[in-house]
Amino acid sequence: MISVFVPFDFSQTAHYALNFATGLAGNYPKISITVFHVIEVPVASGMSTMGGGLDPMPDFENQIFFMELIETRKKQLRELEETYHNSNFEFSTKLILGNVFKGISEAIQEAKPDLVVMGSKGASGLEEVIIGSNTEKIVRTAPCPVITIKGETQVQDMKKVVFASDFRDSDDEVAARIKRIQSVFDAQFYFVVINTPGNFETTRDSMARIRTFVQKHKFDNIKAEIYNSLTEESGIIEFAEDIDADLIAMTTHGRTGLLHLITGSIAEDVVNHSKRPVWTFKTK
């Protein structure tokens, strides 16, 4: 049984993600989908009367609104369950109160799904520099693969998949993940190395690494490509646009704290800025 986890905020992009997740049922013989919604607990704008922090729901009107919101969300989740009651896959919903990022992260850690599918609007400008998007943070920390969806995406229409890497680390787990993606989509796979001015190398050297990776792990139906661009992030997005790819697959190092602020993450940047779905998985 393949378990798929869909963080859901009732936005349009969340519905796109859910549609994609349910579409996977045609590719997996047995699949269970869990829709997970987090309601943020409102807090007061001032300090608490005891000086210890923020007061949750300081006035009666806010409490009434909050309780009504909970009941509305429960009803909407029940309606989703009814919609997919007779589907050829297992479907369930879950509702919790708390911080969105923390709630989703803890639910993923507890449920240990095989895949997370979530909608994303991305983040840009000051928001991206300071906090990033919730999706970006889930991509960074989730122990399982994450697919980010930004528009209506049909699983059966996945015909071109880009796997961007430097292919320097011939990791068995990475190869297994890519083969798993190959088993899901009947698509042409493009293995691409992005050549940048600050990290230039010859096409011969890049192609040799791709061939070594392909041969070692016995990949089939692969096209090897070298693409020149100013940065790795822009090169991956531009290459995917040039070939009209349906999905970008990447690894992320999952660094947090100061190390993440210093080094950043190409995968998370691509998740934020690509209009295409991005499949990311954290490497050790």
Side-chain angles (χ1 to χ4, degrees):
M1 177 71 72
I2 301 297
S3 60
V4 179
F5 196 88
V6 184
F8 199 78
D9 63 1
F10 294 93
S11 65
Q12 187 61 63
T13 54
H15 281 282
Y16 292 148
L18 179 56
N19 291 343
F20 183 87
T22 57
L24 289 171
N27 297 62
Y28 284 116
K30 293 183 178 180
I31 185 172
S32 67
I33 297 173
T34 301
V35 166
F36 183 86
H37 179 67
V38 182
I39 297 181
E40 289 266 14
V41 178
V43 296
S45 58
M47 297 301 290
S48 72
T49 54
M50 299 300 291
L54 298 176
D55 282 327
M57 296 183 295
D59 58 65
F60 183 72
E61 287 186 2
N62 274 356
Q63 293 184 45
I64 294 296
F65 171 79
F66 187 64
M67 297 307 295
E68 289 177 347
L69 176 61
I70 291 176
E71 291 306 312
T72 298
R73 292 309 192 205
K74 284 182 177 178
K75 180 176 181 291
Q76 290 173 312
L77 291 174
R78 285 196 299 270
E79 290 172 351
L80 280 178
E81 290 177 351
E82 291 171 3
T83 298
Y84 296 105
H85 177 67
N86 293 319
S87 300
N88 62 338
F89 50 85
E90 295 183 8
F91 186 87
S92 61
T93 64
K94 187 174 182 179
L95 173 69
I96 70 166
L97 309 180
N99 173 266
V100 172
F101 168 65
K102 183 179 179 182
I104 295 173
S105 297
E106 290 179 349
I108 292 172
Q109 294 291 338
E110 178 184 342
K112 295 180 172 58
D114 298 295
L115 177 68
V116 172
V117 181
M118 62 189 302
S120 172
K121 294 182 293 185
S124 59
L126 189 61
E127 178 192 11
E128 181 180 7
V129 172
I130 296 175
I131 59 172
S133 65
N134 280 318
T135 304
E136 176 190 337
K137 288 183 280 189
I138 296 300
V139 164
R140 186 187 315 153
T141 58
C144 63
V146 179
I147 298 181
T148 55
I149 303 291
K150 293 185 179 177
E152 192 63 63
T153 306
Q154 301 299 324
V155 173
Q156 63 269 24
D157 292 338
M158 292 281 178
K159 299 304 179 185
K160 294 180 182 179
V161 176
V162 171
F163 174 50
S165 174
D166 60 12
F167 298 94
R168 295 184 186 279
D169 183 11
S170 186
D171 187 271
D172 291 341
E173 182 186 2
V174 171
R177 296 284 193 186
I178 295 300
K179 287 194 172 185
R180 187 71 172 270
I181 302 174
Q182 278 191 304
S183 71
V184 176
F185 305 120
D186 180 23
Q188 172 69 63
F189 274 66
Y190 293 77
F191 283 5
V192 60
V193 170
I194 306 300
N195 214 1
T196 63
N199 193 27
F200 177 81
E201 67 176 6
T202 66
T203 297
R204 175 180 290 185
D205 289 342
S206 296
M207 291 295 285
R209 282 203 313 279
I210 297 177
R211 283 195 298 269
T212 298
F213 184 81
V214 168
Q215 292 168 2
K216 176 182 178 181
H217 299 289
K218 298 179 173 59
F219 280 98
D220 296 316
N221 195 29
I222 298 296
K223 287 188 176 181
E225 300 282 352
I226 312 300
Y227 193 86
N228 300 322
S229 189
L230 294 177
T231 68
E232 290 177 89
E233 174 211 328
S234 61
I236 293 166
I237 294 173
E238 290 163 2
F239 176 75
E241 290 175 349
D242 287 352
I243 68 167
D244 195 22
D246 301 297
L247 178 72
I248 297 171
M250 299 183 65
T251 62
T252 179
H253 47 56
R255 294 173 185 145
T256 59
L258 181 61
L259 188 58
H260 177 266
L261 290 175
I262 294 172
T263 63
S265 170
I266 296 169
E268 291 157 33
D269 287 342
V270 172
V271 165
N272 265 334
H273 301 136
S274 173
K275 297 178 181 178
R276 288 167 166 74
V278 183
W279 182 315
T280 55
F281 41 95
K282 189 168 65 173
T283 56
K284 298 177 182 178

